[in-house]
Amino acid sequence: MPIAAGWFAARAAALCCVGAACFGQDDRGEPSVVAPFTRLDTICVNDWWNRPRSEIIDVRPPRDEVVAFGLYTVSEGTLKLSAQLFPLYPNETRTVRLEVDHGRGWEEIGTAEVNDLGWSALFRIDGWDDSQSVPYRIRHGESAMFEGVVRKNPKASDTFSVAVLSCNSRKDRGRRPEYVRNLRAHNPDLLFFAGDQSYDHREHTAAWLSFGLQFRDVLRDRPCVTIPDDHDIGQPNLWGEGGKLSRRGDGADGGYMFHPEYVRMVERCQTAHLPDPVDPEPISRGLGVYFTRLLWGGVDFAIVEDRKFKSGPAGKLPEYGPRPDHVATPDYDPRALDAPGLTLLGERQLEFLRGWAQDHRSGGPKVLLSQTVFCGGPHLHGSNDNRLYADMDSNGWPQTGRDKAVGLLVDAGAVHLAGDQHIAMLLEYGLPDRGGAAWAMASPAIVNTIYGRWWAPLEESRRGQPIEGAELAETGSFVDGFGNPITMHAYANPESQDRGAGYGLVRFNKADGAATFECWPRTADVTSPDAEQFAGWPKTVPLDETASKTRPGSTPH
């Protein structure tokens, strides 16, 4: 039976009998919490111990291994650390403890309660001294623990690096040793998982545990940003429309298809460790928000939710194909797609970004983190004979909202890092009615054996010559299917090594005001001197002056 790793199978014999031979009813007592939703997260809720073992992951580890992994960030003196546990039996304590060692031996500095929906717990430590690295361990019961290191703030370093990953398809349920090896060799200062950590739509907790075990040996000792995308919350695509209920199976009418407590559970597991939301007011049906700011290492990160407020296309636009979100014919007017009243980021996030763009207290680079890019990137979807002329799942649409977002990136001199597209891309966003450009990188998929995508522009979309000396043919200035101006610098189509699967790495040189974009195939071994990146990478670019030079009175964070 396929399972997440041999790590589980080797211990199966050590488990107490929970129906290993018969999967009958095991009298563990009543569940401590009954889920308010049905047919969701069934592997991990209610009397989970009576469920057959799942191909996603075995949720019955030995009890000294129930602390699966942890995630943390530190920003402006506050440490937030999420503990992720396997499901607990009714008679097991829901309390976890956080211990640290400042060189005087282990001492407990906090406790937190595990939520039975999602099995996570959050520690918050204000007044955290980030001037030194500190070992930590999360403990449950007598012997279960997860150990790591809260890193020293690298604000004094001239360089800062971010690894960018997304799209962890269930087509490969194995571990990720090549990623862990390479990431540990690169030793980035921050990890960013841009979404689709899970593709098991109705079983987020099991899939999230699998993701954590795949990457925990690189998660344990550095800050990490994880944000959920559409597949994480159980949808093929997401246009959140402020939290309303979607009544279509494809979600194209806008809103969320599943119970709000399921969505809240997903967001709690993936984002509770982020800095506090800058505007925490809940949205429709009690859903929360997590858009926020992270100041770390002299770099100023804005983290936004580029799906949560976005309008759905169904019923709002003329349709040019069998799906309301796809333009499948060349006979269309891109301007007709930008209907009045459509939303991308929403006014609350735009207001946040306006302030962020003008606030230069960090004195260093500014970076926007979100799920997907602000353009319509790939042209061939799923197969190399399926051309879409425009895709409303991308954030090239709606154009007016896109231009507002890109305009704020240009004002900030910020770099945009994202995922989602199942194709690595390095590009510059342009604006139709003003000068300036903003650099953006979409990471490749971690696993790209499902729904590959190709950058394959038609000649009529080109607006200039290919970039001189470029290694790839289809570079230069284009308009996307919505008429948005972009400049493509590099891409990795599925004909590339590992079918285009891999990860991005961005190295910021704070002293020089430059960024180097790298893109590595999944099976490249960066510990070898012969390791090669995808064609077209690396590329070093100067950043806007507003992002790269310290201002009078600014203080690195």
Side-chain angles (χ1 to χ4, degrees):
M1 177 178 67
I3 53 177
W7 181 86
F8 303 104
R11 292 164 172 77
L15 302 177
C16 58
C17 178
V18 288
C22 57
F23 284 117
Q25 292 295 306
D26 181 23
D27 188 14
R28 295 276 180 172
E30 294 298 317
S32 301
V33 172
V34 176
F37 41 74
T38 58
R39 295 184 296 159
L40 294 170
D41 224 43
T42 59
I43 299 168
C44 295
V45 296
N46 302 339
D47 60 335
W48 58 267
W49 53 89
N50 284 319
R51 307 285 188 272
R53 286 191 173 87
S54 167
E55 69 170 5
I56 301 173
I57 194 170
D58 186 348
V59 297
R60 303 166 174 84
R63 307 324 286 169
D64 61 354
E65 298 177 11
V66 296
V67 184
F69 63 98
L71 299 163
Y72 74 84
T73 61
V74 179
S75 185
E76 298 189 279
T78 295
L79 166 67
K80 294 182 72 177
L81 189 154
S82 287
Q84 181 62 54
L85 280 73
F86 284 91
L88 299 173
Y89 293 111
N91 64 347
E92 292 181 299
T93 180
R94 271 33 178 188
T95 301
V96 288
R97 293 118 48 208
L98 179 62
E99 299 178 349
V100 297
D101 184 357
H102 289 284
R104 304 180 296 271
W106 292 103
E107 57 179 313
E108 184 179 301
I109 62 169
T111 61
E113 294 303 302
V114 178
N115 193 318
D116 283 39
L117 299 182
W119 302 106
S120 66
L122 177 67
F123 297 100
R124 180 194 179 100
I125 309 296
D126 293 315
W128 182 262
D129 179 4
D130 64 12
S131 65
Q132 58 182 330
S133 294
V134 179
Y136 72 86
R137 61 188 186 188
I138 304 163
R139 303 201 62 180
H140 178 267
E142 292 298 316
S143 56
M145 71 174 67
F146 177 82
E147 297 186 77
V149 175
V150 178
R151 286 195 173 194
K152 172 184 176 179
N153 192 332
K155 61 187 177 183
S157 173
D158 285 341
T159 61
F160 186 97
S161 60
V162 184
V164 190
L165 303 97
S166 64
C167 303
N168 189 36
S169 171
R170 65 184 181 183
K171 289 292 185 179
D172 176 358
R173 294 203 185 276
R175 301 298 280 271
R176 304 286 185 258
E178 61 278 84
Y179 284 106
V180 172
R181 176 201 62 215
N182 284 357
L183 291 171
R184 293 195 68 82
H186 291 308
N187 195 26
D189 298 293
L190 179 74
L191 295 172
F192 173 43
F193 289 90
D196 294 343
Q197 284 71 251
S198 159
Y199 278 76
D200 290 283
H201 287 189
R202 293 177 174 270
E203 298 291 349
H204 176 266
T205 301
W208 177 242
L209 284 163
S210 177
F211 159 80
L213 294 191
Q214 288 167 339
F215 287 99
R216 68 177 180 171
D217 285 337
V218 70
L219 298 173
R220 67 173 72 244
D221 59 2
R222 71 202 71 228
C224 178
V225 172
T226 51
I227 55 176
D229 202 359
D230 42 18
H231 295 290
D232 295 290
I233 56 92
Q235 299 189 196
N237 289 304
L238 173 63
W239 301 270
E241 284 205 13
K244 67 183 276 278
L245 175 66
S246 170
R247 299 185 182 279
R248 287 178 56 119
D250 59 4
D253 55 335
Y256 290 78
M257 295 163 54
F258 289 157
H259 195 288
E261 286 302 324
Y262 183 76
V263 178
R264 285 165 57 87
M265 178 195 77
V266 172
E267 293 186 348
R268 180 171 59 247
C269 288
Q270 294 210 23
T271 70
H273 67 289
L274 301 182
D276 294 346
V278 295
D279 176 6
E281 183 71 21
I283 58 173
S284 178
R285 301 195 300 146
L287 295 182
V289 297
Y290 57 84
F291 60 93
T292 189
R293 186 177 191 176
L294 169 66
L295 292 153
W296 183 249
V299 180
D300 188 352
F301 296 92
I303 303 167
V304 300
E305 308 177 61
D306 59 21
R307 315 283 200 186
K308 183 160 278 181
F309 298 93
K310 185 176 179 179
S311 301
K316 304 178 181 72
L317 304 172
E319 294 193 14
Y320 296 99
R323 289 172 45 166
D325 56 322
H326 284 174
V327 175
T329 173
D331 300 321
Y332 74 104
D333 181 358
R335 294 170 298 181
L337 302 177
D338 194 22
L342 297 175
T343 296
L344 181 54
L345 295 182
E347 186 55 36
R348 291 170 61 184
Q349 293 193 110
L350 289 173
E351 184 63 26
F352 160 51
L353 291 178
R354 290 184 193 108
W356 176 73
Q358 300 303 318
D359 182 348
H360 300 292
R361 76 178 95 155
S362 73
K366 284 182 175 288
V367 182
L368 178 71
L369 305 179
S370 81
Q371 283 85 357
T372 196
V373 288
F374 296 136
C375 67
H379 306 93
L380 308 179
H381 292 237
S383 64
N384 59 12
D385 60 356
N386 181 36
R387 179 172 293 275
L388 294 183
Y389 294 87
D391 178 9
M392 266 69 85
D393 177 56
S394 82
N395 280 345
W397 178 85
Q399 297 96 308
T400 296
R402 177 264 185 193
D403 289 347
K404 290 177 181 178
V406 172
L408 290 170
L409 283 174
V410 173
D411 292 344
V415 171
H416 184 202
L417 303 180
D420 173 61
Q421 292 292 299
H422 291 247
I423 177 176
M425 297 183 293
L426 177 62
L427 50 88
E428 290 177 274
Y429 304 134
L431 289 162
D433 299 320
R434 57 171 282 191
W439 284 94
M441 182 175 183
S443 73
I446 295 170
V447 177
N448 205 30
T449 53
I450 181 173
Y451 208 74
R453 289 171 173 168
W454 285 256
W455 169 259
L458 297 173
E459 190 59 31
E460 53 262 36
S461 69
R462 181 178 285 281
R463 294 297 183 267
Q465 296 299 312
I467 295 171
E468 185 175 354
E471 192 174 354
L472 297 164
E474 299 295 346
T475 62
S477 297
F478 297 86
V479 291
D480 69 12
F482 303 103
N484 302 311
I486 58 174
T487 301
M488 180 60 71
H489 289 268
Y491 52 89
N493 283 338
E495 291 85 4
S496 306
Q497 182 177 342
D498 298 325
R499 209 169 183 268
Y503 61 96
L505 186 73
V506 187
R507 303 180 189 272
F508 294 95
N509 189 315
K510 295 180 285 184
D512 293 345
T516 298
F517 296 90
E518 302 180 7
C519 197
W520 293 92
R522 175 177 181 172
T523 57
D525 181 355
V526 302
T527 66
S528 167
D530 300 326
E532 293 186 354
Q533 299 184 45
F534 287 117
W537 280 275
K539 187 174 182 65
T540 299
V541 304
L543 300 180
D544 186 280
E545 181 178 351
T546 61
S548 59
K549 292 189 177 179
T550 303
R551 287 146 188 86
S554 64
T555 303
H557 286 71

